[in-house]
Amino acid sequence: MATHTIAFVERVDGALHDPSLQTALERATTRFIGNRAKAVADVDNFEALRHQARAIRAGALARLDELLARLADNVERHGGRVCWAEDGAAARRYILDLAQQRGVRTIVKSKSMASEEIHLNEALEHAGLEVIETDLGEYIIQLAGETPSHIIAPAIHKTREQVRDLFVQHLGMEPTDDIPTMTRTARTALRQRFLQADMGISGVNFGVANEGAIVIVENEGNARLTTTAPRIHVAIMGIERICESFDDLGVLLQVLARSATGQRLSVYTSIISGPRRPHEPDGPEEFHLVLLDNRRSEIIGGKYAEALMCIRCGACLNACPVYQSIGGHAYGGVYSGPIGAILTPLLQPDLPDAHKLPHASSLCGACEWACPVKIAIPDLLLRLRADAVNNGKYEGYEPPAMFGWRQAMMNPALYRLGGKMASFGTHLLARNGQVRWLPPPLDGWTKQRDFPPFAPKTFTELWEERKKQG
Amino acid sequence: MTVQPHRRAVLFVTCIVDQVHPNIGLAAAELLERQGVEVVVPRGLTCCGQMAFNAGFRDDAYAVAGRTIEILRNQGDVVLPSGSCGAMIRHLYHELFHGTRHEAAAKELAQRTYELSEYLVDVLGVTDVGARYDGVIAVHDACHGLRYMGLGRQARILLDHVAGARIVSLPGSDECCGFGGLFAVKQHQISEAMLQRKLAHIAECGCDLVVTGDSSCMTQIAGGLSRSKSRVRACHLAEVLANRVGLGG
Ligand code: SF4
């Protein structure tokens, strides 16, 4: 993954100067936002639903241990196996061992950010296994040798034209921009793979503790095939993705589909509770649930716990003007956009530049407004910024600048003097009443914007004068 | 224009207005006085501390904001011509002062802090301030005011009563202009990309004046308009309402 080694600024710069990316982002986010708005307007009281969803998520996190134990017990009662994976390495080892013990050669996959998080594909491929992504978007980026750039639309950064070229190159498709033809080409290529595969790996949208079930929502139907066609099904679930009952699930599904794609309900909702039973005609022989911790239990109970309420709908990404400008790859981690700027430093703190992501926000709050569980994303970003500063991660000029600022703001005489100097300086630099160049580190401002010179007299001075004149 | 019974309010103009755009402060003062409000500007008031807080330098923010809290103690209503600084006091002081000796004072201050248009419309019940502007106006909703203080409606009510003005709707009026404090400098490429979208929308809506309740957004938008040699101007809501558009400093 080359994106991990170049600096954040360069990734941003590359993204802003990539015309295909800009076109793709513009087309996709606009459509998502429009659909979401319609689907939300459809509900009598979406605000109340959000409230309820938030309470359900908060309640589940508060009783995480209890609910996870109940989920695991019930899964085992249904004949499934449960792996408690403390970190990515443990999860990878479990899945790889299983594949090797069962003589697995080909694996089909569907719907899993968690497997991206633990770099599962690389580990499996490294061991000589063939891994095929089956969701259209994931399949496209697998062909392109890239990583997902959106939580629910992994290939959002690709234009139709780019996808056409990929299919022509890898699948021998006749050049065409006709979307049904492109989809059919991919489907034909994938059908064969489903039949060949020995193992299917899926993600989990929600685990339902009382039922010992996992729930997967999708629109293409590939998750259904992934979880039923091969003889072994492995589901990977971040431990926070749990709810207690089907009642809770009903609420979460309503806000998820509306926030993610603007649908009332996704086309397919699969509820899976274990392997095929003796009297059942189909389904896998084995079902394994991997419960992935990977630092999550450290976050629970701390000042970032709220981030784990996320249901990965992607609404905050679509709403975010920063994401709209730079796309997902610029963030460098598995999760992108506003929630990614929080999750990446928490879940992948070793990633170089991870501490910079919380600064990639103007704190406009559009994400918090869009979030179906009302995660206070800007507040969390601000906490991460404070933590980074406490850990000595800042630009060299910042501490002295802050010190100077603080002295000036605390001491009226210094404040006045600073203002006079700024006024003098900016008037020297001004041409026709506008400053067109500021010295570093402020030169970023004047690259595409003018700056007004500081006023010759401050408001305070003008006010004093006015009072004297009576 | 109804003149209210005697009221007194502290006008906290914020550091940017004080030093860069004093005209906005004068406009705000005039607006309040015309409604019969006695305007008080306490000595030594400088800044709400937002810049350092947003940058993650909470100790510095704490020192500056703590001083501000002390100055504003027992001062009655506090009015700011800035939704962003208002949101800092009302929304973020809670976090900054949580568990400190200023906690109670911060909470109490939050309850009597208002943004200017909110104070005029919701507290004083004014809708027509007797202003005139002959031209086409579009409103940009500054993010913090919009999302953390529930602003937007008030500015439109006041502008609807400005004689001679035609108000047009700005596409994406609630989208961030890309300012975001140090964000505009540290992540200037992203900030510029956001500004360019805003400028395109402004050009599209056919206005000749963009009005916003936040001097920071105004600086960002005006800076972009000026650099792109647009004929459209940007100003603060208070300036239009006090008939001070284009009067400068
Ligand atoms: S933070 Fe909220 S809006 Fe963003 S993906 Fe998670 S649930 Fe959706």
Side-chain angles (χ1 to χ4, degrees):
Chain A
M1 264 158 291
T3 48
H4 289 182
T5 50
I6 16 177
F8 177 61
V9 210
E10 286 160 33
R11 293 196 301 264
V12 165
D13 214 50
L16 287 169
H17 292 102
D18 178 345
S20 292
L21 174 68
Q22 294 298 326
T23 313
L25 283 171
E26 162 87 37
R27 283 183 196 163
T29 50
T30 319
R31 198 185 63 227
F32 275 138
I33 293 174
N35 291 350
R36 176 188 174 274
K38 269 187 240 139
V40 163
D42 221 50
V43 189
D44 276 347
N45 194 344
F46 192 68
E47 213 33 49
L49 204 58
R50 278 174 91 198
H51 223 82
Q52 219 183 335
R54 183 182 169 91
I56 288 170
R57 292 298 294 133
L61 291 180
R63 293 181 301 138
L64 191 63
D65 287 351
E66 177 203 331
L67 295 183
L68 281 173
R70 207 186 301 167
L71 174 72
D73 283 351
N74 286 332
V75 165
E76 280 167 359
R77 201 164 45 81
H78 293 145
R81 294 274 300 275
V82 175
C83 159
W84 297 86
E86 195 186 317
D87 56 14
R92 288 194 302 265
R93 204 175 325 114
Y94 180 85
I95 297 169
L96 193 57
D97 284 352
L98 179 70
Q100 283 169 342
Q101 278 163 21
R102 304 290 196 273
V104 168
R105 282 197 312 267
T106 306
I107 298 173
V108 282
K109 282 185 66 208
S110 174
K111 285 259 143 212
S112 180
M113 290 297 286
S115 80
E116 288 290 336
E117 183 185 319
I118 61 173
H119 305 300
L120 183 63
N121 285 16
E122 285 100 310
L124 296 171
E125 281 165 0
H126 193 73
L129 295 159
E130 193 185 14
V131 184
I132 301 114
E133 295 290 346
T134 66
D135 298 311
L136 188 56
E138 295 277 355
Y139 185 56
I140 290 167
I141 56 171
Q142 192 180 32
L143 291 180
E146 294 175 8
T147 52
S149 72
H150 190 285
I151 290 176
I152 60 147
I156 198 174
H157 58 288
K158 291 249 173 278
T159 58
R160 186 185 317 155
E161 296 76 12
Q162 289 173 317
V163 174
R164 171 200 61 204
D165 296 345
L166 275 172
F167 282 8
V168 169
Q169 190 194 336
H170 293 274
L171 306 179
M173 185 183 76
E174 292 295 319
T176 172
D177 282 354
D178 178 47
I179 289 180
T181 311
M182 290 203 269
T183 325
R184 211 175 316 121
T185 309
R187 178 179 300 198
T188 315
L190 285 170
R191 274 292 136 108
Q192 215 38 47
R193 303 308 211 151
F194 282 119
L195 296 173
Q196 277 170 1
D198 314 294
M199 179 184 271
I201 297 179
S202 76
V204 174
N205 284 92
F206 300 105
V208 188
N210 289 354
E211 316 293 335
I214 61 153
V215 179
I216 303 176
V217 296
E218 54 158 347
N219 282 316
E220 295 170 13
N222 299 319
R224 294 199 141 190
L225 285 166
T226 302
T227 56
T228 49
R231 58 192 159 86
I232 306 165
H233 171 205
V234 179
I236 310 175
M237 170 180 150
I239 53 170
E240 82 280 18
R241 309 292 294 277
I242 197 159
C243 65
E244 183 166 20
S245 63
F246 277 154
D247 283 348
D248 288 355
L249 177 70
V251 174
L252 295 175
L253 288 180
Q254 285 187 62
V255 293
L256 175 62
R258 285 190 161 83
S259 311
T261 43
Q263 293 162 292
R264 290 185 194 152
L265 208 57
S266 305
V267 179
Y268 299 97
T269 302
S270 305
I271 300 177
I272 297 168
S273 59
R276 169 185 350 157
R277 313 270 167 16
H279 59 277
E280 286 171 348
D282 49 26
E285 294 156 19
E286 293 183 45
F287 171 68
H288 298 258
L289 176 61
V290 177
L291 294 172
L292 179 70
D293 185 330
N294 213 22
R295 295 177 185 273
R296 287 167 172 77
S297 49
E298 286 165 37
I299 301 171
I300 299 268
K303 59 185 169 195
Y304 299 109
E306 196 172 332
L308 294 183
M309 297 202 303
C310 175
I311 59 172
R312 307 279 192 272
C313 69
C316 58
L317 277 64
N318 303 327
C320 175
V322 173
Y323 181 90
Q324 284 168 13
S325 304
I326 62 175
H329 285 153
Y331 290 82
V334 174
Y335 304 103
S336 56
I339 189 66
I342 295 167
L343 291 175
T344 301
L346 294 176
L347 298 176
Q348 298 179 277
D350 303 334
L351 217 60
D353 271 7
H355 67 279
K356 291 202 172 145
L357 298 180
H359 288 280
S361 167
S362 67
L363 305 171
C364 75
C367 48
E368 184 174 349
W369 261 27
C371 178
V373 288
K374 301 201 212 192
I375 297 175
I377 295 172
D379 291 1
L380 299 182
L381 291 171
L382 284 168
R383 278 177 215 163
L384 282 161
R385 290 182 185 186
D387 277 0
V389 168
N390 286 335
N391 292 325
K393 289 177 176 160
Y394 38 68
E395 305 293 332
Y397 64 81
E398 286 182 282
M402 291 300 160
F403 180 79
W405 170 84
R406 171 177 174 171
Q407 299 309 314
M409 294 301 157
M410 305 274 296
N411 178 338
L414 217 56
Y415 172 80
R416 270 196 303 278
L417 180 69
K420 286 290 161 247
M421 283 163 57
S423 174
F424 180 72
T426 47
H427 275 95
L428 277 184
L429 292 169
R431 300 279 171 275
N432 298 323
Q434 292 291 336
V435 179
R436 299 179 61 96
W437 178 85
L438 284 167
L442 298 173
D443 52 341
W445 179 278
T446 40
K447 291 218 161 77
Q448 290 191 21
R449 289 163 289 210
D450 291 344
F451 192 81
F454 277 52
K457 280 187 186 172
T458 63
F459 167 78
T460 318
E461 287 168 320
L462 294 169
W463 183 254
E464 296 285 328
E465 282 174 17
R466 206 182 87 159
K467 268 209 322 217
K468 269 188 211 124
Q469 287 159 7
Chain B
M1 259 207 296
T2 47
V3 173
Q4 302 289 318
H6 188 78
R7 281 190 91 111
R8 179 180 178 278
V10 165
L11 178 63
F12 181 3
V13 297
T14 79
C15 53
I16 297 188
V17 168
D18 187 38
Q19 300 265 6
V20 186
H21 305 290
N23 188 40
I24 297 173
L26 294 176
E30 281 171 25
L31 278 172
L32 292 171
E33 284 174 347
R34 277 194 230 151
Q35 301 306 323
V37 176
E38 183 199 340
V39 174
V40 186
V41 179
R43 262 172 206 286
L45 200 52
T46 55
C47 172
C48 67
Q50 184 172 200
M51 205 250 314
F53 186 78
N54 283 0
F57 289 78
R58 292 203 175 178
D59 291 347
D60 297 312
Y62 181 86
V64 171
R67 177 176 172 277
T68 297
I69 286 185
E70 288 303 331
I71 295 175
L72 292 175
R73 209 181 265 273
N74 304 321
Q75 292 279 347
D77 294 345
V78 175
V79 179
L80 297 96
S82 160
S84 184
C85 306
M88 175 73 190
I89 295 176
R90 231 151 69 175
H91 178 70
L92 291 169
Y93 272 15
H94 175 74
E95 169 131 359
L96 181 58
F97 293 107
H98 181 73
T100 71
R101 68 190 176 89
H102 291 298
E103 183 166 6
K107 274 198 189 127
E108 190 271 329
L109 173 62
Q111 280 164 9
R112 55 183 166 87
T113 296
Y114 304 91
E115 182 272 347
L116 178 67
S117 69
E118 178 185 42
Y119 193 72
L120 289 169
V121 176
D122 297 347
V123 179
L124 302 181
V126 186
T127 52
D128 186 347
V129 293
R132 168 155 211 109
Y133 177 82
D134 293 298
V136 185
I137 297 179
V139 185
H140 162 72
D141 291 291
C143 301
H144 284 173
L146 173 72
R147 303 207 170 88
Y148 296 104
M149 300 195 69
L151 305 178
R153 175 182 51 89
Q154 299 90 337
R156 287 176 177 80
I157 291 175
L158 293 163
L159 287 169
D160 275 341
H161 290 88
V162 172
R166 184 159 70 85
I167 315 296
V168 291
S169 84
L170 176 66
S173 67
D174 61 350
E175 280 167 26
C176 180
C177 67
F179 177 71
L182 288 182
F183 174 79
V185 174
K186 282 169 101 171
Q187 311 286 345
H188 69 88
Q189 306 104 311
I190 307 176
S191 168
E192 287 154 4
M194 290 159 69
L195 173 61
Q196 292 310 323
R197 266 205 297 272
K198 183 61 69 183
L199 296 181
H201 285 151
I202 289 172
E204 208 179 298
C205 78
C207 67
D208 53 49
L209 188 69
V210 186
V211 171
T212 171
D214 227 298
S215 54
S216 317
C217 308
M218 188 196 94
T219 308
Q220 163 92 339
I221 294 172
L225 289 170
S226 158
R227 180 64 62 92
S228 63
K229 304 208 165 21
S230 167
R231 54 164 198 90
V232 181
R233 284 182 302 171
C235 80
H236 191 282
L237 176 68
E239 295 175 281
V240 193
L241 298 180
N243 294 321
R244 275 182 158 269
V245 179
L247 289 192

